[in-house]
């Protein structure tokens, strides 16, 4: 079979090297070996006698036979090692379509079998490229081997395997220049780890710590490496990308809404620094969004951490071959497992493979950002500390959706239903349930938290501060979407409905409010509101979240009966933008009711009290910055308000009339109602110690009763997560245990405080309704 034109034009022989040359051929069959030898002979115009060996440079098939190891080891220091390979490109049709079912049967088109390769060279020779990897001398390779490994430099097999792995890596680099950066994957991870001095030293330390032999500890470490190490390949990356596109495409528009400027900034960051991408978690689909966007923008494959609960048949197989790393939920008492995980993470970070996972650890069941989980972040930063990584970039990624399939499940789950266990059949049912239009997906990249170096592993305060900064930045780049904003409007007046004109008026006021604060909003809020009501709003009506009644003289909109919890989820995704103003409104309402009191002192006292009351729901800036943010927000509505209050030039009523729109009732009502249930229950259990789980179950029952009695206004205030946070408030105030005769009185004082906030929220709601109807 004649050489291709590309092979004839590309000379594998190094022109500037006159010494001995040793070719390592990455050949998976005799056919490829013959083609590579023919290529070498064709360009051997000087009649040199090359030495060469044929190897299969695959992660699981890399075996260097003794005679080949001896041959490599025997080479003089000035011998140039030259790796060569045939790279096979899929057809244009196959690239456009992505992996097909036939590829699962006949194999990866980028790694064809001999018969298929012959047909390609005969019929489509342009799809075969003869590659030469960056060559290097034996002397340089041996020096690197001794530096990285903990081996006797004369051990032929170990050195030969090292050379073979380096050959595979430089060939991969050459192939990626043609196929794209998305196919950058780590190779030979287990072998590289085992041969590293750092790994061996850690192994010896763990063996000494546990009182075991190094050999038995090493065997245990090998089992964990098989369990956790991902085995990505080009074929499965393509397959996973197609799978992600299919699943997301069932419900959402094809293109994720993302800023190309943010993508290019992220590209430079991932290329130049150890990078961690921490995304917000609202649905099972979140884990598909970041890989989809990065794949489509030719990023290196991101490794994604996942819980062992998702490593079930089918999905576990696919994710492991597309960068998924499944780790155990609990391994605190397993030093060998912790060591292997730390070494693995450190290796990936060192090689500039971006890592990504949900820093909340679980899906948000109520819409707002959940508290960060420290576990994975702790181990990644420990790995960075152990490897002395510098300029670590931890980047928050906000993933948002117009509508979310999972919200229906969350609503019933928060009302007390047990969550279903994940399985393959469960996943198939979940994917089927996506087949209805739900609008668009948004991905926003926040400002990275940059660490010059990783903190000391024992510095828990530093870890908490880093996680908090990431959460704050994630909140900043969460967009205001149409479903979230209209849910905010209609929940604020519920159970009333609003006319179409009133809906448009409220939306326009809130959009103007967001523009003034330079908050990112989805495109449908940048257009004329009145002409855009049929878009996402139509989807919400189809999903029976919002009801539209148009049989009367005017069309009116309201929250569908029994759908407040679902609408509340969408509203909660943006309420962090309104918390400062909500606190201001409640504090001003408080001081307007006081007489003979220093108004400014009373204002700040109430601000701090409200901040403390809702500390388990929202992320605040440090105290001094928080106070500055509150004052800036107050001055937006009433310039120089605090100075005028101090001089008694104005009253609280003047400030409240200046604040438009009023948002406290839309922002804080469900949390206050939930806390009122918690405080009332604590009073009823006056002389008892409170157990978190049992208390939450009792709160669900009392909450249902309170709703039926209309002591609370919405079923969205009856939620396990809200009651759990309320219990944390009791713990924070030392009221979860009956420690003295004063405990009962303190619980009653808290209940009175919460009822007072509720009373003010109802007053603000009445004032806001007046604004709406004017």
């Amino acid at each position: 079979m004649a050489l291709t034109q590309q092979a004839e034009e590309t000379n594998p022989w190094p022109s500037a090297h006159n010494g001995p040359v040793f070719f390592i051929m990455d050949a998976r069959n005799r056919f490829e070996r013959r083609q590579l030898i023919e290529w070498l002979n064709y360009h051997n115009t000087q009649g040199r006698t090359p030495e060469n060996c044929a190897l299969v440079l695959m992660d699981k098939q890399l075996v260097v036979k003794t005679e080949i190891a001896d041959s490599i080891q025997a080479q003089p220091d000035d011998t140039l090692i030259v790796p060569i390979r045939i790279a096979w490109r899929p057809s244009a049709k196959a690239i456009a379509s992505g992996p097909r079912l036939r590829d699962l049967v006949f194999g990866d088109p980028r790694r064809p079998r001999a018969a298929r390769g012959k047909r390609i060279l005969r019929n489509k020779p342009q799809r075969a490229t003869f590659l030469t990897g960056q060559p290097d001398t034996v002397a340089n390779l041996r020096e690197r081997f001794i530096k990285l490994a903990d081996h006797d430099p004369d051990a032929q097999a170990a050195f030969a395997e090292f050379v073979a792995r380096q050959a595979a890596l430089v060939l991969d680099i050459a192939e990626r220049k043609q196929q794209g950066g998305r196919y950058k994957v780590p190779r030979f991870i287990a072998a590289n780890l085992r041969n590293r001095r750092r790994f061996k030293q850690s192994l010896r330390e763990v063996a000494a710590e546990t009182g075991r032999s190094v050999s038995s500890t090493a065997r245990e470490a090998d089992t964990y490496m098989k369990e956790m190490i991902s085995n990505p390949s080009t074929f499965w990356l393509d397959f996973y990308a197609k799978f992600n596109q299919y699943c997301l495409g069932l419900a959402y528009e094809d293109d994720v809404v993302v800023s190309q400027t943010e993508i290019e900034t992220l590209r430079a960051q991932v290329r130049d620094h150890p990078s961690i991408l921490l995304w917000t978690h609202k649905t099972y689909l979140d884990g598909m969004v970041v890989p989809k966007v990065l794949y489509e923008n030719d990023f290196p494959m991101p490794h994604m951490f996942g819980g062992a609960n998702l490593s079930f048949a089918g999905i576990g197989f696919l994710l492991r071959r597309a960068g998924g790393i499944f780790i155990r939920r609990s391994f605190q008492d397993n030093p060998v497992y912790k060591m292997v995980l730390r070494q693995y993470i450190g290796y990936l970070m060192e090689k500039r493979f971006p890592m990504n996972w949900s820093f909340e650890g679980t899906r948000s069941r109520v819409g707002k950002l959940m508290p960060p989980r420290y576990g994975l972040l702790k181990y990644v930063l420990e790995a960075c500390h152990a490897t002395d990584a510098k300029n670590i970039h931890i980047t928050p990624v906000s993933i948002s959706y117009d509508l979310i399939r999972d919200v229906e499940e969350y609503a019933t789950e928060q009302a007390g239903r047990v969550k279903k266990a994940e399985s393959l059949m469960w996943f198939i049912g979940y994917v089927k349930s996506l087949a209805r239009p739900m609008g668009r997906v948004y991905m926003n990249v926040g400002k990275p938290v940059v660490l010059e170096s990783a903190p000391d592993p024992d510095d828990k305060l530093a870890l908490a501060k880093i996680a908090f900064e990431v959460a704050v930045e994630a909140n900043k780049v969460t967009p205001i979407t149409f479903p979230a904003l209209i849910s905010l409007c209609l929940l604020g007046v519920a159970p009333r409905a609003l006319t179409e004109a009133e809906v448009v008026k409220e939306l326009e006021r809130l959009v103007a409010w967001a523009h003034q604060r330079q908050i990112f909003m989805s495109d449908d809020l940048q257009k004329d509101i009145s002409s855009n009501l049929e878009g996402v709003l139509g989807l919400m009506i189809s999903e029976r979240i919002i009801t539209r009644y148009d049989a009367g003289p005017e069309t009116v909109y309201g929250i569908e009966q029994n759908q407040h919890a679902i609408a509340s989820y969408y509203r909660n995704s943006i309420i962090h933008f309104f918390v400062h103003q909500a606190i201001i409104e409640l504090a001003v309402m408080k001081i307007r009711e006081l007489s003979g009191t220093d108004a400014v002192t009373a204002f700040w006292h109430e601000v701090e009290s409200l901040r403390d009351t809702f500390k388990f729901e929202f992320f605040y800036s440090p105290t001094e910055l928080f106070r500055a943010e509150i004052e800036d927000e107050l001055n937006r509505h009433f310039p120089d308000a605090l100075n005028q209050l101090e001089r008694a030039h104005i009253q609280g009523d003047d400030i409240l009339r200046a604040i438009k729109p009023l948002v406290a009732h839309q922002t804080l009502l469900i949390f206050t109602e939930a806390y009122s249930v918690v405080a009332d229950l604590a009073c009823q259990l006056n002389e008892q110690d409170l157990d978190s789980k049992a208390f939450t179950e009792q709160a669900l029952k009392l909450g249902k009763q309170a709703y039926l009695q209309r002591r609370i206004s919405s079923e969205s205030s009856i939620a396990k997560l809200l009651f759990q946070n309320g219990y944390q408030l009791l713990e924070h105030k030392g009221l979860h245990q009956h420690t003295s005769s004063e405990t009962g009185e303190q619980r009653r004082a808290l209940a009175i405080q919460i009822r007072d906030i509720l009373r003010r929220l109802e007053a603000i709601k009445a004032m806001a309704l007046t604004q709406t109807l004017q």
Side-chain angles (χ1 to χ4, degrees), residues 701-712 715 718:
K701 296 173 183 176
L702 181 59
K704 181 65 174 177
Q705 175 187 317
Y707 174 67
L708 293 173
Q709 295 174 300
R710 293 306 184 261
R711 287 161 41 207
I712 61 176
E715 287 184 295
I718 309 169

Side-chain angles (χ1 to χ4, degrees), residues 497-500 541 546-558:
L498 294 179
T499 66
E500 188 169 302
I541 293 169
I546 290 176
T547 183
R548 175 174 58 194
Y549 182 76
D550 53 10
E554 295 183 272
T555 300
V556 296
Y557 298 89

Side-chain angles (χ1 to χ4, degrees), residues 458-477:
D458 295 326
D459 192 343
K460 295 181 180 180
L461 183 60
L463 180 67
K465 182 180 178 182
I466 292 166
F468 174 84
E469 289 180 23
V470 171
V472 169
E473 290 299 325
N475 263 338
K476 286 181 180 178
V477 295

Side-chain angles (χ1 to χ4, degrees), residues 686-739:
N686 191 26
E687 296 184 358
Q688 299 180 30
D689 290 345
L690 308 178
D691 172 74
S692 175
K693 184 177 180 180
F695 185 87
T696 300
E697 293 301 320
Q698 289 175 284
L700 286 169
K701 296 173 183 176
L702 181 59
K704 181 65 174 177
Q705 175 187 317
Y707 174 67
L708 293 173
Q709 295 174 300
R710 293 306 184 261
R711 287 161 41 207
I712 61 176
S713 64
S714 171
E715 287 184 295
S716 59
S717 303
I718 309 169
K720 290 169 63 176
L721 185 60
L722 300 183
F723 294 147
Q724 288 165 358
N725 289 347
Y727 182 86
Q728 287 191 73
L729 179 65
L730 293 176
E731 280 189 317
H732 170 63
K733 294 181 176 295
L735 302 179
H736 62 302
Q737 293 181 328
H738 192 275
T739 56

Side-chain angles (χ1 to χ4, degrees), residues 235-253:
F235 174 78
W236 289 108
L237 288 176
D238 287 342
F239 190 93
Y240 186 49
K242 187 171 184 178
F243 176 73
N244 290 340
Q245 180 67 44
Y246 170 76
C247 291
L248 289 167
L250 287 172
Y252 300 102
E253 295 181 9

Side-chain angles (χ1 to χ4, degrees), residues 507-705:
L507 289 176
E508 288 176 343
R509 289 166 69 177
L510 288 166
V511 166
W513 183 96
H515 271 306
Q516 291 171 1
R517 289 152 183 80
Q518 298 182 323
I519 298 171
F520 175 74
M521 289 178 285
S522 57
D523 291 344
D524 44 16
L525 290 172
Q526 312 282 0
K527 305 170 185 175
D528 178 59
I529 298 293
S530 59
S531 63
N532 200 41
L533 285 182
E534 293 301 317
V536 180
L537 181 58
L539 297 180
M540 297 183 77
I541 293 169
S542 298
E543 289 292 313
R544 300 184 65 81
I545 301 169
I546 290 176
T547 183
R548 175 174 58 194
Y549 182 76
D550 53 10
E554 295 183 272
T555 300
V556 296
Y557 298 89
I559 302 298
E560 186 78 48
Q561 189 175 7
N562 301 323
Q563 296 294 298
H564 282 218
I566 291 178
S568 181
Y569 181 95
Y570 295 110
R571 183 269 314 277
N572 291 348
S573 67
I574 62 170
I575 55 174
H576 57 276
F577 292 122
F578 301 91
V579 169
H580 285 50
Q581 183 174 319
I583 289 175
I584 288 170
E585 292 171 19
L586 283 169
V588 172
M589 180 67 76
K590 182 77 171 181
I591 65 173
R592 74 193 279 269
E593 299 171 352
L594 302 175
S595 59
T597 305
D598 180 351
V600 175
T601 300
F603 173 81
W604 284 118
H605 180 272
E606 185 62 16
V607 165
E608 292 299 333
S609 175
L610 291 166
R611 170 189 165 114
D612 188 65
T613 299
F614 298 108
K615 67 183 297 181
F616 299 107
E617 304 295 348
F618 304 106
F619 298 96
Y620 304 111
S621 302
T623 302
E624 291 304 315
L625 179 56
F626 172 78
R627 288 174 70 99
E629 291 167 348
I630 288 289
E631 189 166 356
D632 287 345
E633 182 61 36
L634 178 60
N635 287 336
R636 285 180 183 272
H637 300 282
F638 204 110
D640 200 34
L642 293 178
N643 286 333
Q644 294 195 57
L645 270 175
E646 189 173 26
R647 294 192 295 267
H649 290 173
I650 59 169
Q651 301 295 323
D653 285 332
D654 300 317
I655 298 176
L656 283 174
R657 280 193 293 268
I659 297 177
K660 293 181 181 179
L662 293 164
V663 299
H665 60 297
Q666 298 168 317
T667 306
L668 298 176
L669 183 59
I670 68 163
F671 305 101
T672 310
E673 288 187 341
Y675 284 15
S676 72
V677 172
V678 168
D680 288 349
L681 182 57
C683 290
Q684 291 178 20
L685 304 173
N686 191 26
E687 296 184 358
Q688 299 180 30
D689 290 345
L690 308 178
D691 172 74
S692 175
K693 184 177 180 180
F695 185 87
T696 300
E697 293 301 320
Q698 289 175 284
L700 286 169
K701 296 173 183 176
L702 181 59
K704 181 65 174 177
Q705 175 187 317

Side-chain angles (χ1 to χ4, degrees), residues 339-403:
M339 183 275 292
V340 172
L341 179 60
R342 188 180 297 118
Q343 293 292 326
Y344 179 30
I345 293 170
Y347 178 85
L348 294 175
M349 295 290 283
E350 180 184 319
K351 299 301 181 182
R352 298 293 187 269
F353 287 99
M355 314 197 75
N356 79 110
W357 71 90
S358 159
F359 70 101
E360 299 166 272
T362 185
R363 295 171 294 160
S364 172
R365 264 57 172 195
V366 294
K368 66 184 182 63
L369 200 65
M370 298 283 286
R373 298 278 182 91
Y374 299 151
L376 273 175
L377 184 60
K378 177 178 184 291
Y379 282 107
V380 171
L381 292 180
E382 281 183 359
C384 291
H385 185 271
T387 57
D388 199 28
K390 301 296 182 184
N391 292 319
I392 306 152
H393 283 54
I394 307 175
T395 303
V397 177
S398 170
I399 303 174
S400 306
Y401 307 80
D402 281 332
L403 299 178

Side-chain angles (χ1 to χ4, degrees), residues 141-318:
L141 288 166
R142 186 172 283 115
E143 181 181 351
R144 289 165 55 196
F145 171 70
I146 294 172
K147 182 178 179 181
L148 291 174
D150 190 22
H151 274 287
D152 177 355
D154 293 327
Q156 287 111 323
F159 177 64
E161 288 176 4
F162 171 78
V163 172
R165 292 196 298 270
Q166 297 305 303
L169 292 175
V170 296
L171 284 169
D172 287 350
I173 291 171
E175 191 168 348
R176 283 201 303 274
K177 290 178 180 178
Q178 297 184 350
Q179 296 188 347
R182 62 172 62 91
Y183 299 116
K184 178 184 177 183
V185 297
R187 301 285 306 275
F188 312 108
I189 297 173
N192 284 330
L193 286 178
R194 290 190 196 99
N195 290 308
R196 285 192 156 203
R197 286 179 175 172
R198 186 181 297 125
F199 182 88
K200 292 203 163 192
Q201 178 61 32
S202 296
L203 198 66
R204 288 191 288 267
E205 290 173 357
V206 172
E209 176 189 336
T210 57
R212 298 168 54 191
S213 68
V214 173
S215 59
S216 67
T217 306
R219 286 194 296 272
E220 184 180 348
D222 281 349
T223 64
Y224 296 146
M225 282 194 279
K226 291 177 183 177
E227 179 182 323
M228 72 175 67
I229 289 177
S230 177
N231 299 300
S233 68
T234 55
F235 174 78
W236 289 108
L237 288 176
D238 287 342
F239 190 93
Y240 186 49
K242 187 171 184 178
F243 176 73
N244 290 340
Q245 180 67 44
Y246 170 76
C247 291
L248 289 167
L250 287 172
Y252 300 102
E253 295 181 9
D254 287 341
D255 294 327
V256 174
V257 179
V258 63
S259 163
Q260 283 304 310
T261 300
E262 291 178 358
I263 288 296
E264 293 310 314
T265 301
L266 185 62
R267 187 191 306 279
Q269 171 194 311
V270 167
R271 181 187 64 234
D272 299 334
H273 306 288
S275 296
I276 304 167
L277 312 180
L278 299 183
W279 35 266
T280 58
H281 198 8
K282 293 183 173 63
T283 167
Y284 287 109
L285 299 178
D286 295 326
M288 300 178 178
V289 174
V290 173
K292 169 182 164 64
V293 171
L294 297 190
Y295 178 92
E296 290 176 350
N297 285 276
D298 203 29
F299 273 70
M301 177 209 65
H303 281 75
M304 180 178 71
F305 287 106
N309 62 310
L310 292 179
S311 184
F312 48 78
I315 293 301
F317 176 90
L318 172 58

